């Protein structure tokens, strides 16, 4: 049985000039700009400072000529984090579960503005 190709996230995370793909654990690819990630996260800055794999036809490392970074977060979590970090749009954090879903990954990737927003929601 052939593995299904990941699907692309909807706009604004499918920009034709993006330079990297973040792949969610549920098989959704987010085409984003490294510069947005570098501004938002020291973890991504460190990650992209490392030597990157060369272009290949392997779907787990490259797609459409772009490097693919597989992440353990779901597309729902990545969508919320990326909207906040790249667009400045705060996700709706109403319940403690909403905050927990965002706070863990925000801390993992050292997204300081998202951490501050989640902590403010706790108050």
């Amino acid at each position: 049985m052939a593995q299904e190709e990941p699907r692309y996230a909807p706009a604004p995370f499918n920009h034709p000039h993006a330079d990297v793909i973040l792949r969610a654990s549920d098989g959704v690819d987010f085409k984003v700009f490294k510069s947005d990630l570098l501004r938002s996260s020291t973890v991504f800055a460190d990650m992209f400072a490392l030597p990157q794999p060369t272009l290949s036809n392997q779907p787990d490392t490259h797609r459409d000529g772009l490097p693919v970074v597989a992440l353990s977060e779901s597309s729902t979590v990545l969508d919320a984090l990326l909207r906040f970090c790249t667009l400045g749009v705060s996700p709706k954090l109403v319940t403690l579960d909403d905050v927990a879903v965002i706070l863990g990954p925000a801390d993992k990737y050292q997204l300081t503005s998202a951490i501050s927003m989640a902590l403010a929601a706790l108050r």
Side-chain angles (χ1 to χ4, degrees):
M1 179 184 224
Q3 186 176 354
E4 234 180 88
E5 184 171 301
R7 66 188 187 285
Y8 278 118
F13 303 118
N14 59 359
H15 197 284
H17 299 295
D19 55 5
V20 68
I21 294 172
L22 299 182
R23 180 165 292 156
S25 61
D26 53 358
V28 178
D29 284 353
F30 292 79
K31 290 175 75 172
V32 295
F33 293 92
K34 285 182 187 177
S35 60
D36 290 338
L37 300 173
L38 296 172
R39 270 194 312 274
S40 301
S41 166
T42 57
V43 172
F44 282 115
D46 291 344
M47 180 188 307
F48 292 128
L50 297 172
Q52 301 298 304
T54 57
L55 183 62
S56 72
N57 292 327
Q58 299 301 314
D60 56 334
T61 62
H62 288 85
R63 181 176 183 195
D64 298 336
L66 299 178
V68 173
V69 178
L71 302 177
S72 60
E73 288 71 32
S74 71
S75 58
T76 303
V77 171
L78 280 182
D79 187 274
L81 285 176
L82 291 171
R83 283 181 189 281
F84 182 76
C85 295
T86 63
L87 304 172
V89 176
S90 296
K92 189 174 182 181
L93 302 177
V94 177
T95 68
L96 188 56
D97 286 340
D98 294 339
V99 174
V101 164
I102 294 299
L103 190 56
D107 184 53
K108 176 181 174 179
Y109 296 109
Q110 292 299 294
L111 299 165
T112 54
S113 55
I115 293 168
S116 297
M117 178 262 318
L119 293 175
L122 280 176
R123 292 185 200 105

